[in-house]
Amino acid sequence: MVSWIISRLVVIIFGTLYPAYYSYKAVKSKDIKEYVKWMMYWIIFALFTTAETFTDLFLCWFPFYYELKIAFIAWLLSPYTKGSSLLYRKFVHPTLSSKEKEIDDCLVQAKDRSYDALVHFGKRGLNVAATAAVMAASKGQGALSERLRSFSMQDLSTIRGDSSSPVPPPVTVRTSSKQSKPKTSRSVSESTSSSGTA
């Protein structure tokens, strides 16, 4: 665990921050030689970071794995060994030069496909959202009508019930207060007169 923490700190400080500062200085001074040196380093470091993602999963049990990573970063940065320049010139540049056309074609195709996929999934997402909104609105309207229907059924049952049971206060929906009170009082009086004649 300690080796992992030390390895992470070395990669962050010496593998990322230190080269980033010297890359800034190379850009600021417009020194082409330094600029090319740090560009080669960043290309190698990008490949190292990609490889590290997989090797951390499968080779972390290997003895001295983290120490080897620290030594590799030191070798890349050292002005004596010029590790990043050596790796770039011997392996990366020849490989990329020979495969450049295929890589460019793949990138163009991936860009076109990703745009088409983005448009396709965007349309599908909008359709799903619209369908969900319509469903929610219809369910909400159905729930509202069920709620109103239950209130009206309760009112009818209290009106038709026997007169000895106490009449609960009427549930009013505020359309106009003048219309709701006379209807309630008239229906109660009609129910008492009809029950008295029977």
Side-chain angles (χ1 to χ4, degrees):
M1 186 68 172
V2 173
S3 297
W4 178 82
I5 293 171
I6 293 171
S7 168
R8 280 283 94 198
L9 286 174
V10 167
V11 169
I12 289 170
I13 294 169
F14 296 106
T16 308
L17 296 177
Y18 174 80
Y21 180 71
Y22 277 96
S23 299
Y24 155 76
K25 288 184 75 105
V27 170
K28 184 179 176 186
S29 68
K30 298 178 183 169
D31 183 3
I32 301 297
K33 188 177 176 185
E34 283 293 307
Y35 187 75
V36 169
K37 171 187 157 187
W38 289 112
M39 285 303 293
M40 287 189 285
Y41 171 80
W42 285 116
I43 292 168
I44 297 299
F45 187 76
L47 294 172
F48 165 74
T49 304
T50 305
E52 179 188 33
T53 304
F54 298 106
T55 58
D56 280 354
L57 293 174
F58 300 114
L59 297 177
C60 63
W61 55 268
F62 191 75
F64 303 110
Y65 169 72
Y66 296 110
E67 288 79 3
L68 288 172
K69 279 173 54 173
I70 293 169
F72 182 72
I73 291 293
W75 180 75
L76 285 179
L77 287 172
S78 174
Y80 304 109
T81 60
K82 297 182 181 177
S84 60
S85 177
L86 180 73
L87 284 177
Y88 179 81
R89 288 196 172 113
K90 291 271 186 182
F91 301 106
V92 176
H93 184 77
T95 305
L96 289 178
S97 293
S98 66
K99 304 285 184 187
E100 188 172 0
K101 177 104 172 83
E102 292 93 5
I103 294 170
D104 287 341
D105 290 343
C106 287
L107 288 175
V108 167
Q109 288 176 1
K111 186 177 171 184
D112 292 341
R113 287 180 185 163
S114 65
Y115 178 75
D116 292 341
L118 182 66
V119 168
H120 175 71
F121 286 120
K123 285 180 181 178
R124 287 187 78 187
L126 287 175
N127 286 340
V128 168
T131 304
V134 168
M135 293 288 286
S138 66
K139 285 183 180 179
Q141 187 178 17
L144 180 63
S145 65
E146 286 297 319
R147 185 81 172 149
L148 290 175
R149 187 177 304 137
S150 69
F151 282 141
S152 63
M153 295 305 289
Q154 181 184 2
D155 292 343
L156 287 175
S157 65
T158 58
I159 291 171
R160 290 187 182 164
D162 63 285
S163 60
S164 63
S165 65
V167 179
V171 176
T172 58
V173 177
R174 300 214 175 225
T175 53
S176 72
S177 59
K178 292 180 181 178
Q179 290 178 355
S180 62
K181 287 183 182 177
K183 284 183 182 177
T184 307
S185 61
R186 187 182 316 146
S187 61
V188 171
S189 62
E190 286 175 2
S191 67
T192 56
S193 64
S194 64
S195 65
T197 56

